[in-house]
Amino acid sequence: MSALPTVRTIAALRETVGAWRKDGACIGLVPTMGALHEGHLALVRAACAACDRVVATIFVNPAQFGPSEDFQAYPRDEAADAEKLAALGVHLLFAPPVEEVYPPGFATTVTVSGVSDGLCGDHRPGHFDGVATVVSKLLLQALPDRAYFGEKDYQQLQVIKRMVKDLDIPVTIEGVAIVRDPDGLALSSRNLYLSPDERRVAAQLNQVLQAIATAVAAGASGDAEAASGRDALIEAGFESVDYLEVRDAETLAPVDHPEHPARVFAAARIGRTRLIDNMPVPTA
Ligand code: PAF
C-alpha cells in the first residue's frame, strides 16, 4: 500500500493546496491518465526539482477519446502508479471519479483553434477539445504555479500553451523532453498493447523520423522526405500512416524548407495500436 495521500474531490484538493499556498509554497501539477512509465516519471522529477509541493493527477478523461477509441481498454493500475509517485516524492495524488469532473448538467467545452487543427486534430476529431477542457479544469482546480506536460504529445503541449495564454490562466507550462527506450521507441502507455513482433516494427518509427529530420536539416524538401518516409513505414510493417509531416515547432504550420525551428511529426498504426512520435529538425 502506498503512503501517498490521495484525494478524490475538488474540495479536498483545494483545501490541501490552499493551505500550501498560504505557506508560500511553489506548487507543481503533473496531470496524467495513469499507467505511469518513465516518461511520466520524468515530468514528476522535473516538478519535484522545481517546486516545493507536487500534485499528480490520475484521470482517464472520457472526453478526449473518440467513440471507437480505447477508453474502456486504457490501462489502469492506480495502486502501482501511487507507489511510483510516492517513491519520487509527490505530495498529493488527485484521482477523481468521472462524476466529480463531469457532474450531471456539465455543458462546457474549451476549443483551441489553429494549433488543434491538422496532425492528431484531423485524425481524432474532438480529442483536443477534450484535452483542453479537462486541463483547464485541472489547472483551475489546483491553481498550480507550474504544470508539466511531455513533448511526446507535442501538439497537445502547444494546445495547452495557447489555451493558458488566451484564457490568462496564471500558470507556467513546462514541456519535458521525450523519454525513449534504448531502440528509440518513445515511451507510451499504449506500448503495452504491442505484441513482441509489433514492438520490433514500432522501433522503425523513430528511425524514419530521425532520417527525415537529418535530411531536412541538410536542405532536403520536408514534403519529399515525408512521402518516402511514409513508404518506409509501410514497408517496415506499419498498417497505415495517419500523418508524417514537417511542421513549424511553434505554430505547427506545415513547412517544406524550414527557416525557423521545425519538427517532424508522425502517427502510424500497427495492429490495434496507434503510435505517435515527433522530433526536432536539428539546427546548425
Ligand atoms: O497527456 C495526457 O496524459 C492527457 O492528455 C492529459 C494531459 C493528462 C489530459 O487528460
Side-chain angles (χ1 to χ4, degrees), residues 152 180-181 183-188 190-209 232-233 235-239 266-271 273-277 279:
K152 160 133 186 310
R180 298 180 181 279
D181 272 338
D183 64 2
L185 179 66
L187 298 193
S188 162
R190 290 189 170 97
N191 292 354
L192 292 171
Y193 300 153
L194 297 169
S195 70
D197 280 349
E198 291 170 347
R199 174 66 190 75
R200 272 188 288 279
V201 173
Q204 295 298 314
L205 184 58
N206 167 259
Q207 287 173 25
V208 167
L209 288 189
L233 287 176
E235 226 165 86
F238 281 88
E239 269 139 42
R269 293 175 192 265
I270 178 170
T273 311
R274 180 178 184 273
L275 298 176
I276 63 170
D277 199 354
M279 70 177 53

Side-chain angles (χ1 to χ4, degrees), residues 165-178:
K165 202 169 181 184
D166 290 352
L167 296 183
D168 306 309
I169 301 178
V171 63
T172 302
I173 299 300
E174 305 280 1
V176 176
I178 298 175

Side-chain angles (χ1 to χ4, degrees), residues 18 48 51 53 57 60 64 76 93 98 110 112 120 128 133 143 159 171 174-175 187 198 211 230 251 254 264 275 282:
C48 289
C51 305
R53 289 283 181 271
T57 74
V60 184
Q64 68 189 77
R76 291 163 172 89
L93 171 61
V98 171
V110 179
V112 181
C120 285
F128 289 119
T133 302
L143 291 175
V159 167
V171 63
E174 305 280 1
L187 298 193
E198 291 170 347
R230 267 179 231 124
T251 63
V264 190
L275 298 176

Side-chain angles (χ1 to χ4, degrees), residues 31-33 40 59 61 64 127 131 134-135 149 153 156 160:
T32 82
M33 298 204 301
H40 298 109
F59 179 63
N61 173 32
Q64 68 189 77
H127 170 68
V131 170
V134 81
V135 172
F149 299 88
D153 296 300
Q156 166 176 285
I160 292 167

